[in-house]
Amino acid sequence: MVNLSYPRKRKLQIYLIAALLAILCCILVACNSDNSYSVAGENVSEPTHFMAKFMIAINNALGGGVASFGWTVVLFTVILRLILSPLDIWQKVISRRNNKAMERMKPQLEALQARYADDKQRLQQEQMALYKKEKYSTMGMCLPTIVTFVVFFVVFAGFRQMVGYQFAKDYKECVKAYNTSIAEQIEANKDADYIVDNGDGKWDIDDVQKTQEGADFYAAAKKNAQHAVYNVYYSEDQVTIRSFLWIKNIFVSDNWAQAVPDFATVTGQKGMATSKLTGITIDEYNDVMADVLGTGGYGKDGKWNGLLILPILSIALSFLSTKLLSGSQAQPPAPPQDAQGEGAEKAKSQQQTMKMMQYVMPIMMGVFALFYSGAFALYMFTSSLCAILFQLTFNLIAKLVDKSREGASGVAKR
């Protein structure tokens, strides 16, 4: 590394840091990537991902575990942005310093381009020497962006676990209500001829005789139990946890998905990055959830859990954030046009690439907001909003600082 040129050293440093952060991201996500929950036992195990645990702690602090998870997400995002604010400030300070350095270097860079138009290698060496002299940091700009992506995917893994955990909790509460109702009805009719205690110490379907009377009794008992499940699922506390503004179930996408997830969704057979409930069959799930499936959403069959508001807002804010960021960065001078017009072509190609990148991020945000849980879409929206407000505040403070320095400089010259 001693014999490498300065540009190559800087590139190698960036690549090494990027590789280390990518490995760290993989470790953090892989070690906490299990979003499978068994519903066969008595209780559902809590999430293992530290981000999910942090969200649960905030929810408990807000309302003893029964606060709206949407507001939990908002508070979680604000706290996370505050924790990461030193990184944001560092990135913006470096960006501002780079912009001022680029403004100073532009005449010199244009002179270098004219002087070494026929010697590209020498031109690159002189440019890098000038960057070093003016302390123009390319690595300082890349590092915070890489860290931001790492945080994004780590948080995403935490939300995946939270969705699976909530689906498992909801189902276990429903199973408990279902079985309790069945047991109470059997016990209330224990003197009937079709009820025979099998001696296992509990009242359940095994105590109902396989006769016509027993079948009729169980059919009626099942309907009553399903109604009991409906009352539990739509109890005030449970509705408060799941609902957020226009979204019926914050753990389901803010789109045309059913507000109450079906068996294929909760077991991970359809949908993206959802839960994987195990220890359950489709017949069991449909029996227990019969009265709530196809309810709670907009329109027929419980469809349209949301109104596509978060995906639209996420795309709009991402466009705004990208525009603010690109508008605050000074651009290097365009390369001179040679005899073959290669300089102009390179400049045009760079502009097209930058324009394309302005669309890539909003589209990616839109995909995540559209197809993943409403909770994660809300996180992205709140995070983007915080970033925009922070950027506007930083720009305002920077302008005030510049005016103050200009005033002080003018007084000193007099």
Side-chain angles (χ1 to χ4, degrees):
M1 193 167 176
V2 178
N3 297 325
L4 293 177
S5 63
Y6 174 75
R8 290 184 177 180
K9 284 183 181 179
R10 301 296 283 182
K11 285 183 179 179
L12 183 58
Q13 289 174 348
I14 292 173
Y15 292 151
L16 287 174
I17 292 173
L20 288 173
L21 289 173
I23 292 172
L24 176 62
C25 178
C26 291
I27 292 173
L28 289 172
V29 174
C31 290
N32 298 280
S33 62
D34 185 18
N35 58 326
S36 298
Y37 290 90
S38 174
V39 292
E42 289 294 325
N43 299 309
V44 177
S45 58
E46 288 198 351
T48 57
H49 198 286
F50 65 97
M51 285 292 183
K53 290 181 177 180
F54 186 28
M55 284 183 254
I56 291 174
I58 293 175
N59 190 259
N60 290 336
L62 284 178
V66 295
S68 170
F69 190 71
W71 293 115
T72 296
V73 171
V74 172
L75 183 56
F76 164 81
T77 308
V78 172
I79 293 174
L80 185 62
R81 293 294 307 190
L82 289 174
I83 293 173
L84 297 175
S85 59
L87 184 66
D88 288 339
I89 294 172
W90 177 41
Q91 184 180 23
K92 286 172 174 52
V93 168
I94 291 177
S95 177
R96 187 166 182 267
R97 188 176 67 191
N98 279 355
N99 290 345
K100 291 185 175 295
M102 183 58 67
E103 290 175 1
R104 293 194 304 269
M105 291 188 299
K106 261 191 177 182
Q108 300 175 66
L109 288 171
E110 290 172 351
L112 290 174
Q113 288 175 351
R115 185 182 306 171
Y116 301 107
D118 298 327
D119 190 347
K120 294 181 180 180
Q121 184 175 1
R122 180 65 185 277
L123 174 61
Q124 185 181 29
Q125 291 175 350
E126 293 294 332
Q127 285 177 335
M128 289 301 151
L130 182 59
Y131 287 164
K132 186 176 181 180
K133 178 183 176 182
E134 294 290 342
K135 297 181 180 180
Y136 184 87
S137 173
T138 54
M139 184 175 66
M141 288 296 296
C142 294
L143 183 58
T145 303
I146 295 171
V147 173
T148 300
F149 272 101
V150 172
V151 172
F152 178 86
F153 286 106
V154 170
V155 172
F156 172 68
F159 273 96
R160 281 204 313 168
Q161 279 205 357
M162 279 304 306
V163 170
Y165 175 62
Q166 187 62 39
F167 283 171
K169 275 181 61 181
D170 285 345
Y171 181 68
K172 287 299 292 184
E173 287 294 323
C174 291
V175 168
K176 182 180 178 181
Y178 183 89
N179 290 336
T180 299
S181 177
I182 291 289
E184 289 175 351
Q185 293 179 75
I186 292 175
E187 185 177 8
N189 292 271
K190 62 184 177 182
D191 294 331
D193 294 338
Y194 49 83
I195 303 294
V196 178
D197 187 1
N198 62 6
D200 61 0
K202 59 182 179 180
W203 296 104
D204 53 27
I205 189 59
D206 293 335
D207 299 316
V208 181
Q209 297 298 295
K210 298 184 184 307
T211 63
Q212 185 59 46
E213 288 182 323
D216 292 341
F217 165 78
Y218 181 63
K222 187 163 72 169
K223 284 187 175 295
N224 291 332
Q226 289 166 348
H227 184 67
V229 168
Y230 183 93
N231 291 334
V232 168
Y233 193 84
Y234 285 112
S235 64
E236 184 178 354
D237 287 347
Q238 296 303 313
V239 170
T240 299
I241 293 171
R242 288 189 298 266
S243 62
F244 178 75
L245 299 180
W246 66 90
I247 302 175
K248 301 297 185 179
N249 189 344
I250 195 69
F251 300 96
V252 178
S253 306
D254 180 15
N255 58 17
W256 51 84
Q258 291 189 358
V260 182
D262 57 17
F263 178 79
T265 300
V266 299
T267 54
Q269 298 177 43
K270 74 174 184 180
M272 301 174 69
T274 55
S275 65
K276 295 179 181 177
L277 267 58
T278 60
I280 180 179
T281 67
I282 185 170
D283 290 336
E284 291 171 345
Y285 188 83
N286 289 339
D287 275 347
V288 172
M289 308 294 286
D291 274 15
V292 296
L293 287 173
T295 65
Y298 298 98
K300 187 181 178 182
D301 297 330
K303 291 186 177 179
W304 287 91
N305 174 62
L307 300 174
L308 294 173
I309 295 176
L310 278 179
I312 293 172
L313 290 177
S314 297
I315 294 173
L317 283 184
S318 186
F319 268 117
L320 180 58
S321 179
T322 303
K323 189 172 183 180
L324 281 174
L325 184 61
S326 61
S328 64
Q329 293 178 345
Q331 301 298 323
Q337 184 173 349
D338 53 24
Q340 290 76 31
E342 291 182 359
E345 287 297 323
K346 286 182 179 178
K348 185 177 179 180
S349 177
Q350 290 175 355
Q351 290 176 357
Q352 290 176 344
T353 301
M354 291 178 64
K355 189 175 181 180
M356 183 184 69
M357 290 302 296
Q358 290 180 1
Y359 289 98
V360 168
M361 185 60 70
I363 290 173
M364 187 181 78
M365 293 296 102
V367 169
F368 273 94
L370 184 61
F371 294 107
Y372 291 84
S373 69
F376 190 66
L378 179 60
Y379 160 76
M380 290 190 295
F381 166 77
T382 308
S383 182
S384 296
L385 182 61
C386 290
I388 290 172
L389 294 175
F390 187 82
Q391 180 70 53
L392 292 174
T393 303
F394 184 87
N395 291 347
L396 177 61
I397 294 174
K399 286 181 181 180
L400 293 175
V401 170
D402 287 342
K403 285 184 179 180
S404 176
R405 288 178 177 175
E406 288 175 3
S409 177
V411 171
K413 286 181 180 179
R414 291 176 188 175

